Amino acid sequence: MADTIVTLDEVVKRFGDREVLSGVTLSVTRGQVVCLIGASGSGKSTLLRCCNKLEDIDGGTISVFGTDLSGDDVRGELVRRHIGIVFQSFNLFPHRTVLDNITMGPRRALKMVKATAEATALDLLTQFGLAEKAKDYPDRLSGGQQQRVAIIRALAMDPELLLLDEITSALDPELVGEVLDAVRDLARSGMTMILATHEIAFARDVADLVVFLEGGRIVESGPPEQVLVEPREAATRRFLSRYLGDAPT
Amino acid sequence: MTSVTLLVLGAVAIFILSPGAKTFGHYFLNPTIFADTFFGNSAKNLDPMWQAFIKNIEMCLAAEPLVLIWALPVALLRNSPSPLLAGPRLVATAYVDLARGVPLVLVVYAVYFGLPSLNLPFISDRTWFQYGLFCLVFCYGAYVSEVYRAGVQSVPYSQTLAGQAIGLTPFQLNRYVTIPQALRIVVAPLINDFVSLQKDTAIIGIGAGIIEVLKAAQISQGVFFNDTCYVAAGVLFLIICVPLTRLADALQARDQRARLAGAR
């Protein structure tokens, strides 16, 4: 039996009157790469944000590493120290250098000593080919570089789970490749990841499980060969044909 | 450019060519009176006005740090979403409304005549200078707290999310992410408020007790029966305020450029 680290059971999330998630049930095991696909507004981002308690849920339960996140006594910041998240718009701290962006979490949240945090950060920067950018401010970097720094910032916390929220959607097309390559390497290294993405080909390549969302519900989920190649549901086929054009489905 | 020059020349011409120009010049722009007021006149037993102006500078330099400190908890309270702080938040809001709504001169009267008459220990036997400081901090604390608040709110929500994402506590989020970014935004508006505060030290003299520059001008006016002393007082304020406003503008322009350069 694989080690289940995330369990969502009938999760409901509302923003005011609008129900964004209407009973989502999903479980993720260690080392699994789960791709959430679906149109904008289908609830992908909200689902990710519920997994690290950036959003509180209105119904159902979420448990991550055995902790029930729906409890009022659960402090979000403690949950988030084990779960990295990377956003569509990078969200680097513009007033801090690349190195400081990466070490802030380890130093402040994890109380790591400065030298250790910086050594770890520099290792990661080297691994991602960004070592020479350590002392630069984020506005000196290209979008692709900024997004890779954002990934490193999340990895520096040594997370057991990484959430990636459409991390290539704000990038120029020629910069998408470098970011996806970084994610592919992470997947190979065994990192557990849930990613919301519009990159269908990429999802087919890296995903262990593909989940198609529509209107806050899971319409279909399964291995990529099934959901992306021979979808059972008409809604999935419609979505894919819109995204892939004439590609065979 | 030429139209501006024309406007300025026109305005000057109105003063020079007006029927009362000579009288106006004598009573408002009298060089002898200006010098006597500015540097003092021992024959008339008149102290130099620049000495009184030092009182204004002392007052604003003493008040400004207190204002900057006092405004911070007020702003943080007003911005806090916590339901536990609903009561204090209401008090803070009421204070800001009151202090921004009541003219400083009325606060000065209330404090100078009100507090001593309470006959309380400590509160009722402060010096004029301390009462003056209290009035300035009371009024400007409210203005500056609103500047802080706007600064914090102008930091994008995505920055809060990013700080939360790396496990920062709410306090750390303020300390390392929100406040440092808000400070850059508020520097220029804070200087503007400082300029206002520096000017409003003149109002403190109305209450009584302190010979600051406006009081000195009134005394000089009583000696010479000439209004040039008020012009002298104005010149003293301008010497301080104009460079400060230029500085605020320069910082604002710099901040603007930094943001256009792509800081998200």
Side-chain angles (χ1 to χ4, degrees), chain A residues 8-203:
Chain A
L8 286 83
D9 187 28
E10 290 296 319
V11 168
V12 174
K13 173 68 189 174
R14 291 184 203 95
F15 289 117
D17 294 337
R18 204 160 55 86
E19 195 164 270
V20 190
L21 296 177
S22 319
V24 170
T25 298
L26 178 69
S27 63
V28 179
T29 56
R30 192 174 295 278
Q32 208 174 20
V33 176
V34 178
C35 283
L36 308 177
I37 59 170
S40 299
S42 56
K44 305 186 297 292
S45 294
T46 308
L47 182 57
L48 290 179
R49 286 175 191 198
C50 289
C51 290
N52 67 351
K53 211 172 159 67
L54 278 178
E55 299 288 354
D56 284 317
I57 58 176
D58 298 305
T61 54
I62 293 190
S63 101
V64 181
F65 308 119
T67 309
D68 182 1
L69 300 192
S70 19
D72 284 339
D73 52 338
V74 179
R75 282 170 60 194
E77 64 262 24
L78 298 184
V79 175
R80 288 187 287 269
R81 284 173 196 173
H82 309 284
I83 306 175
I85 185 167
V86 181
F87 303 98
Q88 181 177 338
S89 52
F90 333 138
N91 301 10
L92 295 180
F93 305 124
H95 63 302
R96 293 298 189 98
T97 61
V98 163
L99 190 64
D100 287 346
N101 261 275
I102 299 169
T103 57
M104 187 187 289
R107 287 183 61 198
R108 305 304 171 194
L110 304 179
K111 310 287 180 210
M112 197 184 280
V113 293
K114 188 177 177 195
T116 320
E118 291 192 344
T120 316
L122 284 169
D123 278 353
L124 284 165
L125 281 167
T126 310
Q127 194 184 319
F128 282 77
L130 289 168
E132 76 282 9
K133 302 290 183 189
K135 297 285 177 198
D136 284 348
Y137 283 87
D139 61 353
R140 309 290 300 167
L141 273 58
S142 75
Q145 290 170 334
Q146 290 193 43
Q147 193 57 298
R148 281 184 287 155
V149 170
I151 294 172
I152 295 172
R153 181 171 67 179
L155 290 177
M157 298 289 289
D158 197 15
E160 295 178 69
L161 168 66
L162 195 57
L163 310 170
L164 305 176
D165 188 3
E166 293 190 32
I167 58 169
T168 56
S169 299
L171 294 176
D172 292 335
E174 75 268 24
L175 301 176
V176 168
E178 60 186 77
V179 173
L180 292 184
D181 285 345
V183 176
R184 198 174 280 121
D185 289 345
L186 277 175
R188 286 208 193 97
S189 74
M191 173 66 73
T192 315
M193 292 191 279
I194 308 178
L195 37 131
T197 184
H198 287 299
E199 303 283 340
I200 304 296
F202 177 72

